[in-house]
Amino acid sequence: MLKKIIKYFKDSELKHSLAFALLVFALCGSAAVWKLTSEAAPVARTKEVPLLEIVHRHSDPFQQFPEAFPLQVAVFWTSPGPDPENPLPLVHSLKEMGIPFFITRDLSEALRHRLVILYPSVDSRTFTQPQADQLATFVRRGGFIFAQNVFWGGLQNLFGFRSFAPSRNRHRLVFSGTKDPVTKYLNRPEERETQLGSERFPEIIWSNGYVPAPGAEVLAHFDDGSAALLTNSVGEGKVYLLGLSLLDVVLRNQNNHDYEAQRHYVNAFEPGADVWLLVLRAWYEAYGKDWVRLATIPGGQRSALLLSHDVDWENSFAPGLDFARIEKANQASSTFFIQTKYVDDANSKAFFFAPNVELLRQLKAGGSTVGSHSIIHSRGFNKFELGSGHETYSSYQPRGLGFDTASGATVFGEVRVSKELLDGGIPGQDTTFFRAGHLRVPVSLPEALERSGYQFDSSFTADDVLSNFPFALPRGFGFEEDSEIYEFPVTIEDEESPGFAKRVPQALGVILANAENGAVSVVLIHSNESILKGAAEQELLRQLPPDIVKTDMLTFATFWRARDRLQWSLIQTSVPTEVVLEVKSAESVAGLTFEFQRPIATVTDGATMSPDKRHLVLPEVAPGHSVSIHINYLR
Ligand SMILES: [Zn+2]
């Protein structure tokens, strides 16, 4: 806040005297300057927020992801034992990339499909010798396998390795300069080399460095020279072998349980987890026959720029209207995350009351969307207790004692009571999006959010989670089960020196790097002033390529959630050039886009084709409804 207030004033003299005053204030420590009572705050309008129970949707991955059509990738789950490693990391990867798949324990069923993933590992107990022979025959006759951590000597020849060495101190990974199709999307330096963990930690994630057999090709190697990704051609088919687990290089990063693998915190391009999603996507597209993929972006577009503003100061409300005007003039919109501060404390006075609430009503009425940015915006939020879940506006009295410390504050309180206030204060508002103050994330955040009726969060940075795709937040940031909350991490923010106004070209560079991958970019601009930052946002929107959607976070998040929960199948008809795409959505969704390997000649039922004839955009699907589109390929 200190930084922010100073930035607001251009006059340097004023800046210095203000900085001095604030420094004195900061040095006063806990000796509060403002009165620590709530006498000033008038009673606000609230709307009750029911406390929901946690719903465990699925425990059986076979039921959740059944075999349905030939184009699906078969996931053979190798670890169903008493302490099974959950397929969640692979499920995240395939769903985010829109690759159709099913999960099975039946090897013959798996081998009926052209593409097979063995997950999470293969040791001497996984397969019998006849099954190993079955796998080898499958590949020889034109099957494709992607596996990770194969340890069994019985499959050495098939996977093309002589030996392997497990280790916890390999820190870097470099993709070789080969022309193999699975590295097709890895064209940038940040993608060609990634970091698995910070050198500050001598021991990080487990990796298995392979020694390749003659004939096998090394596609990526670790810093000790051993092979990280191998490929081996056998007969008509080909296998790929990864010496890492997607649990460690995808889900661990998304959960922020990584060993500080990120190379930047924010405002840079960090695809450390995305490279594995892109390898799987490229593998599917290289070897899937007449493949079809559910695209990440609606409307046949290439990428999306998701705009947001944090309103966390008493004078940040009015400039919000300027940003909304700029966005409207550029056919864009944004989500405003509002600090609903109704108590005075050591950090600031209360400011969530009229006329500020009236400004929020205007923003909402003008087409902007609104999310919560907590109540006291504490930098110690990540250390707060969960709370009881019964915190309400009438009883919850949190107070910041300094930036990092607070009394009477809980995670539930910050999440629920801010929703009570926003939903009560703004007509038609149902707050479902949250962003933590200072992007500090407590481990109980997914639980507090889902039990308070939220659906979306944006409290991480994309660099920190090493991913630029939205993802489901696992419960308790574990590895077993997703919560109901989807995460949209922040890519670009405005406060890092030298300030957003001077970083527009850099921001555009990151946005374009993400666009190449079909990923999204989330922009956060504090609305504490709108002259410099408004001009910068205008410039960013003006320079944005036309095939990048510019939209508010809530609109895109609603799309993404429906996309993630979509059921779809592709069935071949008796006519060789005709297929039927069946789509069923539990939620209303517009702009769903499918990408096709084969160019399309005609489509039915209100679907539209892109000029390249390889993207099909669906008409809006009503909740609980199915649509069937008949597609004729060009001959
Ligand atoms: Zn903030």
Side-chain angles (χ1 to χ4, degrees), residues 4 310-312 337 339 373 377 435-439 524 526:
K4 205 180 301 169
D310 286 3
V311 181
D312 47 19
F337 290 96
Q339 186 186 352
H373 195 35
H377 196 275
R435 177 177 287 153
H438 302 279
L439 305 185
L524 150 59
H526 291 82

Side-chain angles (χ1 to χ4, degrees), residues 27 62 78 134 139 151 203 216 230-231 244 288 360 391 402 426 435 556 573 606 614:
L27 291 174
F62 308 122
T78 59
Q134 234 182 314
V139 178
F151 305 125
E203 294 212 317
L230 273 177
T231 183
L244 288 161
L360 295 182
E391 293 85 346
I426 308 169
R435 177 177 287 153
F556 186 86
T573 68
R614 290 191 45 240

